[in-house]
Amino acid sequence: MATLERVKQSLQSEESEIGADSDIIPADAGVEDVCDEEIETVEEILTDVRPEKRGVIPALQQVQDEYGYLPKFAFELIAHHCEKSLADIYSTASFYSQFHLEPRGDYSIRVCTGTACHVAGADAVSDELQDELGVGLDEVTDDGKFTIEHVRCVGACGLAPVVTVDDDVHGPIEPDDAETIIEEYSERGE
């Protein structure tokens, strides 16, 4: 019930500064920190979700589809809707690698670091992608387009080393291919 009271108070309070100056809601923004529109967006998502334990994962998936990651305020609303504790929601989200707790770029570049890709030079490919984009692992580029992460195996060992960009598989690739791959996706948004 505490979460419901906080939501009501948020609806009655002034519009928060968080979210007003940026398109990205900070990952640690609680219900009291976001504007009414964001709360309404998540509440609309939750209208199609069963208000019980089995509804947690579908709720997390749908919120992540909307925001690209899972902000804290959504955890609070999901916890209230599914009648679970905030700790239950967080533990579920942090258990599955499909969920992201920090903002992500429009395109997620995943460098496979499984055995075959590692032996075939995945580290050099990863280093070149990071250099080309000017970010480290799990960081978002300044333009918000890309995030690079390492994954254990994408199941395409015959194409090692492999990089995926969202659902597209690229392989085998060399470090010199990094610029071409980045350009391909950079041009899609223009």
Side-chain angles (χ1 to χ4, degrees):
M1 285 310 240
T3 302
L4 179 60
E5 289 307 314
R6 290 171 56 187
V7 171
K8 287 179 180 176
Q9 289 173 359
S10 176
L11 291 171
Q12 296 169 353
S13 66
E14 299 178 10
E15 185 171 343
S16 171
E17 291 181 16
I18 295 175
D21 297 334
S22 171
D23 291 339
I24 299 175
I25 299 169
D28 61 348
V31 168
E32 69 279 355
D33 299 321
V34 298
C35 65
D36 298 345
E37 182 179 315
E38 301 302 338
I39 293 169
E40 290 169 4
T41 298
V42 174
E43 288 179 335
E44 177 65 27
I45 289 170
L46 294 176
T47 59
D48 295 332
V49 174
R50 298 173 114 175
E52 57 189 47
K53 181 179 180 180
R54 289 186 293 177
V56 171
I57 289 178
L60 293 170
Q61 290 169 327
Q62 291 181 44
V63 168
Q64 184 164 283
D65 286 346
E66 177 69 25
Y67 292 98
Y69 75 105
L70 298 168
K72 179 184 169 193
F73 84 94
F75 283 1
E76 295 173 1
L77 296 173
I78 293 169
H80 174 73
H81 179 77
C82 293
E83 299 180 355
K84 303 296 294 178
S85 71
L86 190 57
D88 288 335
I89 305 303
Y90 179 79
S91 66
T92 300
S94 62
F95 178 80
Y96 294 101
S97 62
Q98 69 173 299
F99 295 122
H100 305 291
L101 306 181
E102 296 289 333
R104 313 285 295 170
D106 295 337
Y107 298 104
S108 291
I109 300 174
R110 294 178 180 90
V111 179
C112 180
T113 58
T115 303
C117 289
H118 176 73
V119 170
D123 289 344
V125 170
S126 178
D127 290 345
E128 188 62 29
L129 286 165
Q130 292 176 60
D131 287 346
E132 285 288 330
L133 293 172
V135 295
L137 293 176
D138 298 318
E139 294 178 352
V140 180
T141 56
D142 289 341
D143 62 3
K145 286 194 173 189
F146 297 99
T147 301
I148 302 173
E149 66 181 321
H150 284 174
V151 294
R152 290 302 304 156
C153 185
V154 297
C157 301
L159 300 175
V162 172
V163 168
T164 65
V165 182
D166 292 340
D167 293 331
D168 300 335
V169 178
H170 301 269
I173 66 168
E174 298 290 329
D176 292 342
D177 297 327
E179 183 177 354
T180 304
I181 292 171
I182 292 167
E183 285 176 2
E184 177 184 341
Y185 291 91
S186 293
E187 292 170 1
R188 288 186 182 185
E190 295 176 2

